[in-house]
């Protein structure tokens, strides 16, 4: 049996990740509907991820892990802040004010924003005289403009329930849904996409100097745990918000962590 080509493995990995991540939007929204704290939930997720990654990094990358420097620690701190803390914070608040479908659609701008950042930083060259270079530029512009349209403009309702349903008393869940700030949610999701793109672009040059990727992500998770804990401890004073009170919340937590592992692998 012939081995699977490396390029094919990358494509398969991305398909698996995208499939799992599509469910991530629904599962996280399900957890939010159960009443999990928007600050404590990502903290627990990062703690679980760090608890699994750190031992793996220690034993698997002993030989290839470079000596630690102050510059590395500073970059890990900043990447943890941008790629995990702010990234997940914007995502949670954005999803809470919109919908899983909208969050998934908005994230399609990540490749375009990543390309734009990489081009501005000189990491990727734009070939203006080639068709693929022009296609990248046009695709980036269309993607960003589309993101701005769905953020700033909320069109008319496509489906309208029958009158006897409209006249019924609004349930508590529906009343809460009407209190969502759609514009704020859109802006948060845009911030999430920018942070995610920054994480992708900024880690590339650092990985060339620090190729131990499990250790790399472990350090970022460690600093993200400290950042999330500080923010959560300051804003989430109710001890009940720190408790996992149902199996659904635990399942949602474990599922989102598993998606993170697929992304890292």
């Amino acid at each position: 049996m012939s081995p699977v080509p490396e390029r094919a493995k990358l494509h398969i990995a991305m398909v698996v990740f995208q499939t799992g991540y599509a469910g991530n939007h629904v599962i996280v929204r399900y957890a939010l509907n159960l009443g999990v704290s928007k600050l404590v939930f990502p903290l627990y997720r990062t703690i679980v991820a760090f608890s699994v990654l750190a031992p793996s990094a220690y034993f698997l990358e002993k030989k290839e892990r470079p000596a630690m420097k102050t510059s590395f620690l500073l970059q890990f701190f900043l990447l943890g802040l941008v790629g995990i803390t702010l990234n997940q914070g914007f995502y949670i608040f954005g999803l809470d004010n919109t919908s899983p479908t909208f969050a998934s659609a908005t994230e399609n701008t990540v490749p375009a924003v990543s390309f734009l950042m990489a081009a501005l930083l000189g990491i990727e060259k734009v070939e203006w005289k080639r068709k693929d270079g022009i296609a990248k530029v046009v695709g980036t512009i269309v993607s960003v403009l589309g993101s701005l349209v769905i953020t700033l403009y909320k069109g008319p309702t496509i489906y309208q329930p029958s009158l006897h349903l409209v006249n019924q008393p609004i349930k508590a869940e529906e009343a809460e849904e009407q209190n969502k700030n759609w514009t704020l949610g859109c802006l948060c999701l845009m911030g999430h996409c920018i942070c995610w793109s920054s994480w992708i672009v900024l880690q590339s040059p650092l990985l060339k100097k620090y190729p131990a990727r499990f250790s790399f992500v472990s350090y970022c998770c460690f600093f993200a745990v400290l950042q999330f804990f500080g923010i959560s401890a300051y804003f989430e004073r109710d001890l009940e918000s720190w408790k996992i009170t149902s199996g659904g919340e635990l399942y949602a937590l474990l599922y989102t962590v598993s998606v993170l592992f697929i992304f890292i692998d």
Side-chain angles (χ1 to χ4, degrees):
M1 183 177 179
S2 59
V4 180
E6 188 66 24
R7 190 177 183 86
K9 290 181 180 179
L10 293 175
H11 283 87
I12 294 172
M14 287 307 301
V15 170
V16 173
F17 168 68
Q18 290 297 337
T19 303
Y21 199 76
N24 183 74
H25 300 300
V26 179
I27 296 299
V28 174
R29 184 55 187 264
Y30 168 71
L32 291 173
N33 291 341
L34 291 177
V36 298
S37 169
K38 292 184 286 292
L39 295 175
V40 177
F41 183 80
L43 169 63
Y44 286 163
R45 178 194 185 192
T46 311
I47 289 175
V48 175
F50 174 73
S51 300
V52 177
L53 282 171
S56 302
Y58 179 78
F59 290 107
L60 296 177
E61 297 179 336
K62 280 186 175 182
K63 296 181 179 180
E64 59 182 294
R65 186 167 49 244
M68 183 53 62
K69 300 178 182 178
T70 304
S71 60
F72 285 156
L73 288 176
L74 179 60
Q75 292 178 80
F76 289 145
F77 177 86
L78 293 176
L79 282 172
L81 176 64
V82 174
I84 301 178
T85 305
L86 292 179
N87 182 13
Q88 289 302 307
F90 279 132
Y91 171 74
I92 290 287
F93 280 90
L95 181 62
D96 186 50
N97 282 281
T98 55
S99 68
T101 303
F102 185 84
S104 179
T106 306
E107 287 182 347
N108 290 324
T109 62
V110 171
V113 177
S114 300
F115 169 72
L116 180 61
M117 287 184 176
L120 292 175
L121 294 174
I123 298 176
E124 183 167 345
K125 294 182 180 180
V126 181
E127 301 290 346
W128 295 98
K129 297 182 180 180
R130 294 175 51 178
K131 292 182 179 180
D132 57 341
I134 297 175
K136 286 182 179 180
V137 174
V138 173
T140 299
I141 295 174
V142 172
S143 179
V144 173
L145 289 178
S147 177
L148 290 174
V149 169
I150 61 177
T151 300
L152 301 176
Y153 174 72
K154 188 176 182 181
T157 302
I158 298 177
Y159 170 73
Q160 181 68 39
S162 57
L163 292 177
H164 75 278
L165 292 176
V166 175
N167 293 330
Q168 289 181 355
I170 299 177
K171 297 180 180 179
E173 294 83 358
E174 296 172 344
E176 182 181 357
E177 192 68 25
Q178 291 183 357
N179 292 328
K180 302 295 184 183
N181 190 327
W182 185 269
T183 302
L184 176 62
C186 294
L187 293 176
C188 286
L189 288 175
M190 288 184 64
H192 158 63
C193 293
I194 293 173
C195 289
W196 193 353
S197 299
S198 301
W199 161 264
I200 295 172
V201 173
L202 296 178
Q203 68 175 297
S204 178
L206 181 56
L207 280 172
K208 294 179 181 179
K209 302 176 183 178
Y210 199 93
R213 56 177 184 153
F214 282 102
S215 300
F216 174 96
V217 180
S218 296
Y219 279 116
C220 293
C221 284
F222 170 74
F223 285 115
V225 167
L226 298 181
Q227 294 160 4
F228 266 131
F229 180 77
I231 296 172
S232 301
Y234 182 81
F235 288 102
E236 201 65 82
R237 303 295 179 88
D238 185 7
L239 293 179
E240 293 298 321
S241 300
W242 292 74
K243 298 179 181 179
I244 298 178
T245 58
S246 67
E249 295 177 10
L250 180 61
Y251 168 76
L253 177 64
L254 295 177
Y255 182 88
T256 56
V257 173
S258 67
V259 171
L260 176 63
F261 289 150
I262 294 174
F263 176 66
I264 294 171
D265 291 338

